[in-house]
Amino acid sequence: MRDVAARAQVSAMTVSRVLKDDERVSTATRAKVLAAVEELGYRRNEVARNLRLGRPSGMIGLVVTNLANPFYSRLALGAEQVAEEHGLRLVLGNTAEQVQRERELVEDLVSRRVDGMIVVPAGASQRHLAPDVLGPTPVVLAGRPPAGIEADTVLVDDFGGAHAATATLIADGHRSIGFVGNPPALFTGAERFRGYWAAHEEAGLTPREEWISRGAYDIPGAEAAAHRLLDRTDAPTALFCTNNRITLGAYRAVRGLRSGTALAAFDDFEMADLLDVPVTVVAYDADEVGRRAARLLLDRIDETPTAPQQPPRRTVVPTHIVHHTGA
């Protein structure tokens, strides 16, 4: 600001008044200052300014586990939409499912004085997000429920969606349905397995253990798992997959073996209708997960220190079934 003042031959206070649109500055002086700002490429440091004035940073953090998964990019877009409507900026970090990386990102965001955070937790406990550890920065969880803390949470109907997809396969005549999913330690994988199993029980069926694989994280791992399930004489006639990337891996195995196995998938994905096998998809609005999380967070940010706080809230985004008959 002093450099701008020297270039325009005015005081630093005058520069400050121009940048604040103070009406007491003359038109000629304003023009000189703005010309100097343009020539020098001056940009006001909003973070430093807000810290000095004791104001919020105007930023909220979003910590996700896997940016390669389209679900998280859609979640981020939904959260950003709500943030921008309220004049806020979104700062994004990826943990790659590593708890230590999550802790580091959270600590970094707090040090940058974000107004609040949305976190998709990577581990089985979120004690490091508790107010007595983290301080007053509000936190909302998305995709997975809190463990070890109380917090506002946005979930997807994992159990209901998996149950409906598996029940659809059973109604289509399949009696041997394999399962390719995440490790059981992941909440989403566990809930979707529970829905898969419950649909079988209601139909009087029991899935065979050799048709179940619960360890895939990515497309190559899912392809290998599905290949093991399908490359056998008593292979299942259909597979239920717990997310879009696992579905793509399973599809590669189906295509490679030319087995014609039907697929049911949690998470819709682009070009699912172009696959040459029928796919039953559990669809939902991933953007809405981000929007709801951001709204809950803004509610917490707006709470006054003296007013009694609301109890933790939980909201569940519904799912529906989409049928892709195959190209």
Side-chain angles (χ1 to χ4, degrees):
M1 193 178 290
R2 285 193 295 270
D3 292 339
V4 171
R7 175 67 64 93
Q9 296 183 327
V10 298
S11 68
M13 178 61 71
T14 299
V15 174
S16 177
R17 286 174 177 168
V18 170
L19 296 177
K20 292 178 182 177
D21 292 325
D22 192 321
E23 295 179 354
R24 291 173 294 178
V25 180
S26 70
T27 301
T29 300
R30 184 184 306 277
K32 284 199 303 181
V33 170
L34 293 178
V37 165
E38 183 68 24
E39 291 167 9
L40 296 174
Y42 172 76
R43 296 290 183 273
R44 186 165 61 190
N45 187 328
E46 293 292 345
V47 174
R49 181 170 180 268
N50 288 334
L51 287 174
R52 181 171 58 82
L53 297 176
R55 295 176 180 171
S57 68
M59 299 184 295
I60 61 174
L62 173 60
V63 178
V64 301
T65 56
N66 183 7
L67 275 176
N69 187 331
F71 166 74
Y72 294 111
S73 60
R74 299 307 314 181
L75 186 158
L77 288 171
E80 184 178 50
Q81 176 190 339
V82 173
E84 287 189 345
E85 290 170 358
H86 291 79
L88 301 171
R89 289 288 176 263
L90 195 70
V91 182
L92 180 63
N94 181 60
T95 67
E97 295 282 3
Q98 298 176 12
V99 176
Q100 183 57 36
R101 175 63 176 158
E102 178 185 306
R103 293 175 183 269
E104 292 169 357
L105 284 171
V106 166
E107 290 174 2
D108 182 66
L109 289 169
V110 171
S111 72
R112 295 175 188 274
R113 302 286 294 273
V114 295
D115 300 347
M117 281 182 285
I118 301 167
V119 179
V120 179
S125 173
Q126 292 88 53
R127 272 292 305 153
H128 58 288
L129 299 177
D132 60 326
V133 177
L134 195 62
T137 306
V139 176
V140 171
L141 302 187
R144 302 170 189 179
I149 63 169
E150 292 187 339
D152 295 330
T153 312
V154 183
L155 302 175
V156 175
D157 186 10
D158 297 296
F159 172 85
H163 180 280
T166 307
T168 298
L169 290 175
I170 293 171
D172 289 342
H174 294 283
R175 294 297 180 267
S176 54
I177 304 170
F179 180 93
V180 185
N182 311 103
L186 291 180
F187 171 81
T188 52
E191 283 295 283
R192 293 169 190 181
F193 180 75
R194 195 168 67 87
Y196 159 86
W197 194 276
H200 278 85
E201 285 188 333
E202 291 178 9
L205 302 171
T206 302
R208 289 168 54 175
E209 289 296 329
E210 55 266 34
W211 292 340
I212 295 172
S213 176
R214 304 182 68 185
Y217 278 103
D218 53 21
I219 291 175
E223 181 180 2
H227 195 280
R228 288 193 298 270
L229 299 185
L230 298 177
D231 190 21
R232 49 190 299 146
T233 56
D234 60 346
T237 61
L239 293 176
F240 174 72
C241 306
T242 57
N243 67 36
N244 45 25
R245 294 176 66 75
I246 288 176
T247 304
L248 291 172
Y251 170 70
R252 288 182 178 179
V254 170
R255 184 183 58 186
L257 293 169
R258 299 186 178 181
S259 63
T261 309
L263 295 175
F266 211 106
D267 300 334
D268 205 350
F269 54 95
E270 289 185 4
M271 298 188 292
D273 57 328
L274 298 181
L275 302 185
D276 53 6
V277 298
V279 183
T280 299
V281 171
V282 180
Y284 56 93
D285 188 350
D287 292 50
E288 181 63 12
V289 177
R291 287 192 292 266
R292 292 190 187 189
R295 292 184 189 116
L296 289 175
L297 184 60
L298 288 170
D299 285 348
R300 292 299 183 187
I301 292 170
D302 290 340
E303 285 181 338
T304 59
T306 56
Q309 290 197 337
Q310 300 181 66
R313 297 159 294 175
R314 175 178 293 198
T315 178
V316 179
V317 174
T319 61
H320 62 276
I321 296 296
V322 176
H323 298 285
H324 299 298
T325 57

